[in-house]
Amino acid sequence: MAKSLTEHEEHLFRVMSGNRFLRMEGLSNEIAFFIYPYLPEDALEVAAAKKRVKNRLSTAGVMVLEINLYDLSVELLKERGVWDRVLAAEPDLDKADFREMLQGMLDPQLHIAPAIRDRLAQEQFDIFFLTGIGEAFPYIRSHNVLNNLHSVVKGKPMLMFFPGHYEQSDTLGSSLVLFGRLKDDQYYRAKNILEQEA
């Protein structure tokens, strides 16, 4: 039987408030990247649950730094002075050209990962939450971001909130399936937080 969102919320809190998770124990030299996959139709409830979990963790002395990928993208475009140009170009460009333009402006290796590195360096935190994955698609693909964060997020666990499935298979590897329909490329280095022991 599938667990309810309330059970998921309780599980997230129990796992992330535990010393094993915070000290990144039992990872066998793997990176401390975790994914919380959820049904896209549950996005509002998950956002509310995430806020409650953050508050409970804070009360327990565990500080969470959250970066929303969509908000970060808008911030970066504004910082670079191209936001108005992007808005003006959108009505006249076909979707493929517009997507290509934004993908170039928001390249994970050149722009997103360095921006996340800068923000992480400015904050004191115990856990890093990466959100806004669905809102930033298709301009930013989640597996590209994860691949470029290996050298950026070190020494702290990261949890990506993912609206879709994280399919893990011994024979086919693992893949992120955004919105339960769009298969992102294979990404095998993260662990499903719902499978972690508290």
Side-chain angles (χ1 to χ4, degrees):
M1 185 177 97
K3 288 190 172 180
S4 70
L5 285 176
T6 306
E7 290 171 307
H8 282 188
E9 180 178 338
E10 200 52 43
H11 179 81
L12 289 177
F13 174 73
R14 278 199 329 272
V15 169
M16 290 188 290
S17 60
N19 284 332
R20 180 180 167 84
F21 182 84
L22 293 168
R23 292 182 187 145
M24 300 178 296
E25 293 172 355
L27 291 175
S28 310
N29 294 325
E30 288 288 319
I31 55 171
F33 282 14
F34 298 86
I35 292 178
Y36 172 53
Y38 61 90
L39 296 173
E41 56 267 30
D42 291 337
L44 293 176
E45 291 91 339
V46 168
K50 174 186 49 104
K51 192 173 183 180
R52 288 189 299 270
V53 168
K54 278 175 68 174
N55 288 338
R56 286 177 69 191
L57 287 169
S58 177
T59 301
V62 178
M63 300 311 300
V64 174
L65 171 63
E66 178 180 347
I67 295 180
N68 180 295
L69 204 49
Y70 177 82
D71 294 342
L72 177 67
S73 301
V74 171
E75 224 176 278
L76 290 176
L77 295 172
K78 286 181 176 177
E79 281 173 14
R80 288 168 44 205
V82 295
W83 178 245
D84 291 333
R85 196 174 95 209
V86 167
L87 293 181
E90 184 180 16
D92 300 325
L93 287 176
D94 71 44
K95 285 183 180 177
D97 290 341
F98 185 70
R99 182 179 69 234
E100 195 174 308
M101 179 184 80
L102 270 183
Q103 283 175 334
M105 291 178 163
L106 296 169
D107 180 273
Q109 184 177 2
L110 298 176
H111 303 293
I112 300 297
I116 290 174
R117 180 188 299 115
D118 292 346
R119 281 151 182 81
L120 296 182
Q122 294 167 20
E123 302 281 342
Q124 289 290 322
F125 65 97
D126 300 300
I127 303 171
F128 167 44
F129 281 6
L130 184 63
T131 61
I133 304 301
E135 296 91 329
F137 179 85
Y139 314 112
I140 303 172
R141 304 292 289 262
S142 48
H143 75 279
N144 286 339
V145 172
L146 289 172
N147 283 329
N148 283 284
L149 289 181
H150 293 170
S151 61
V152 171
V153 183
K154 291 181 175 177
K156 307 281 181 178
M158 182 190 83
L159 177 62
M160 181 174 83
F161 286 76
F162 186 76
H165 308 297
Y166 185 40
E167 297 177 351
Q168 295 166 296
S169 156
D170 291 338
T171 51
L172 302 173
S174 301
S175 56
L176 296 158
V177 185
L178 191 66
F179 308 131
R181 296 193 313 219
L182 304 166
K183 194 165 229 174
D184 217 344
D185 282 347
Q186 293 191 340
Y187 185 80
Y188 60 92
R189 297 191 67 186
K191 295 177 177 12
N192 185 333
I193 196 156
L194 296 175
E195 296 170 1
Q196 299 304 302
E197 292 179 22

